[in-house]
Amino acid sequence: MVNTFIELCNRSIQAGYLILAIILLRLVWKRVPKLMYRFLWCLVGLRLALPFTLETALSLIPKKTVIEPEILYAGTPSVDSGITAVNQVVNPMMAENFTPAVGASVNPLQVVMIIGAWIWLIGLVALLLYGVISYIRLHYKVQDAVLLKENIFQSEKVDSPFVFGFLKPRIYLPYSLEEENMAYVIAHEKMHIKNRDHLLKPIAFILLSVYWFNPLVWLAYYLFCKDLELACDEWVIWNLETADKKAYAKALVMCSTERKFGSISPLAFGENAVKERIKNVLRYKNPTVLVFVMVMLVVLVAVLCFMTNPRENNENEIILSNDSTVTTDLLQEIVTEREQEENDRSNPGNISVLLKEPPKLGFS
């Protein structure tokens, strides 16, 4: 379990660089279609979920493995983040607090990592149980909902529209929703289903449950849910006129409610960040071809630079021009043999020849 926890720590550190890059991009490039951020957050999910990654020279990840499993048994524990400033701060602290005493039967870092692994496991189980329990509670809450049409239901127990379900997702609307706003709300929720957002969010919540110890993953989950809503709004208003966009923004205001954290299952889609969504709807303009090309380039750069690990060569290996590797020991042996051959050629007298006595022939 400890090795698994170490592997997850390394994987979350690798994904953390991509999360920071996306956050920085969101601050710099605000008018970009939110569909791009939807793709980028999906890349973060793949980075966290995949147990393997390719190695390229284009990777911007400083170090492939920051925490080695051998650190548990090291006389002087240390990490290699690939960033000198970080190593100079972290490693002296680790050496001071976790260096085993002479004659000690156990490395103090082993005890810390075992406790950390158990805390991680308890947090994982707690979050998964929270998701399952909230899903069951919401299921029973809308069990008596009345069918309106198709997969759309109405219930007096819900305050705002949301999508609920995995294989057969349903749209739930409150009875208080006015008729003039209903068409826009239904179009929005149907777009969630069309984009498979009702599946992406539960997957994201599972990844959050696994990597709950990393604050950047919590921030990524929050921004991911927000960007899904913004991207869905943009899909709906793609071909709408200005008057329809205002009507859509009004529908968002009418559907907004004061909701406490956790009042809706993390596996269901409800309306959130209404103020930001209204601003985005009113100022939205259809992107040009140039913007789409730039979006594709950004996604490509993210894949090449943050979805891959750097190539790390062993210190006792040398890469030859034909991509073959030899160890320095073997290289030294080859050089020594070549030098010996050159000396033998230049000084023939030094060549020693072993003459064996011929076998004696006898007759019986």
Side-chain angles (χ1 to χ4, degrees):
M1 186 172 65
V2 175
N3 288 336
T4 301
F5 180 57
I6 293 177
E7 172 64 24
L8 293 177
C9 288
N10 285 320
R11 207 179 299 175
S12 69
I13 293 173
Q14 295 166 1
Y17 292 105
L18 179 55
I19 295 174
L20 291 175
I22 298 174
I23 294 174
L24 179 61
L25 188 62
R26 289 179 91 260
L27 295 175
V28 175
W29 200 5
K30 297 182 179 181
R31 295 300 181 90
V32 69
K34 300 306 181 288
L35 180 64
M36 183 190 73
Y37 294 118
R38 183 178 182 273
F39 285 145
L40 292 177
W41 291 125
C42 289
L43 291 180
V44 173
L46 288 176
R47 198 70 162 88
L48 293 171
L50 293 178
F52 61 89
T53 51
L54 300 177
E55 296 183 0
T56 65
L58 299 175
S59 177
L60 294 181
I61 306 297
K63 187 70 175 178
K64 176 182 177 181
T65 304
V66 176
I67 307 174
E68 297 287 350
E70 291 77 12
I71 193 176
L72 300 176
Y73 314 101
T76 304
S78 63
V79 298
D80 186 6
S81 65
I83 304 175
T84 304
V86 174
N87 295 340
Q88 292 176 347
V89 173
V90 174
N91 288 334
M93 296 174 58
M94 293 188 63
E96 180 180 356
N97 296 293
F98 299 110
T99 299
V102 178
S105 59
V106 64
N107 193 322
L109 191 59
Q110 288 178 270
V111 178
V112 173
M113 293 302 292
I114 291 174
I115 296 174
W118 276 105
I119 294 175
W120 161 75
L121 184 60
I122 293 173
L124 169 63
V125 174
L127 281 174
L128 291 178
L129 283 177
Y130 165 72
V132 172
I133 293 174
S134 59
Y135 180 89
I136 295 174
R137 290 180 59 186
L138 189 56
H139 172 74
Y140 280 104
K141 185 177 182 179
V142 298
Q143 196 171 16
D144 56 352
V146 177
L147 177 64
L148 179 62
K149 61 179 180 179
E150 300 173 356
N151 64 332
I152 305 171
F153 292 77
Q154 287 183 305
S155 174
E156 60 183 5
K157 298 180 181 179
V158 300
D159 299 324
S160 62
F162 61 90
V163 176
F164 185 63
F166 301 128
L167 300 179
K168 295 181 179 181
R170 295 179 174 182
I171 299 172
Y172 291 92
L173 307 175
Y175 276 117
S176 58
L177 184 63
E178 297 179 0
E179 187 70 25
E180 59 179 349
N181 299 324
M182 187 173 295
Y184 296 109
V185 173
I186 292 176
H188 177 87
E189 304 301 339
K190 283 187 174 181
M191 189 59 66
H192 272 313
I193 297 175
K194 184 178 180 180
N195 292 338
R196 303 292 189 272
D197 292 343
H198 63 287
L199 297 177
L200 290 178
K201 188 175 181 182
I203 294 173
F205 180 77
I206 293 174
L207 291 175
L208 173 67
S209 302
V210 175
Y211 295 94
W212 65 267
F213 55 85
N214 189 337
L216 287 177
V217 177
W218 285 90
L219 182 57
Y221 177 78
Y222 170 76
L223 295 176
F224 168 72
C225 295
K226 179 184 292 187
D227 288 338
L228 283 185
E229 293 289 349
L230 295 173
C232 190
D233 290 334
E234 292 178 355
W235 277 111
V236 174
I237 65 175
W238 182 273
N239 293 319
L240 294 183
E241 300 294 335
T242 303
D244 293 327
K245 290 181 180 179
K246 293 181 179 180
Y248 183 84
K250 179 182 177 182
L252 291 179
V253 175
M254 299 302 296
C255 292
S256 63
T257 57
E258 293 293 332
R259 192 170 70 240
K260 297 180 180 179
F261 177 78
S263 61
I264 278 190
S265 169
L267 309 182
F269 258 105
E271 308 306 321
N272 55 10
V274 175
K275 184 177 180 180
E276 182 177 354
R277 290 172 60 190
I278 292 174
K279 290 182 179 180
N280 188 64
V281 167
L282 295 178
R283 69 188 181 188
Y284 177 76
K285 295 182 180 180
N286 290 347
T288 61
V289 176
L290 178 60
V291 172
F292 270 115
V293 172
M294 295 178 66
V295 166
M296 295 296 293
L297 289 177
V298 169
V299 174
L300 180 61
V301 170
V303 171
L304 294 177
C305 298
F306 294 99
M307 291 296 292
T308 59
N309 287 333
R311 290 178 179 175
E312 296 183 0
N313 302 325
N314 197 339
E315 293 181 355
N316 63 341
E317 289 185 352
I318 297 179
I319 305 297
L320 301 181
S321 58
N322 59 353
D323 294 334
S324 59
T325 61
V326 295
T327 63
T328 54
D329 294 338
L330 179 58
L331 185 62
Q332 182 62 35
E333 183 179 348
I334 294 174
V335 172
T336 304
E337 291 180 356
R338 293 290 177 86
E339 292 178 350
Q340 183 64 35
E341 290 178 0
E342 293 295 333
N343 291 334
D344 292 341
R345 290 175 183 173
S346 60
N347 300 312
N350 293 337
I351 301 178
S352 59
V353 180
L354 179 62
L355 298 178
K356 293 185 179 180
E357 183 178 358
K360 295 181 179 180
L361 300 179
F363 299 91
S364 57

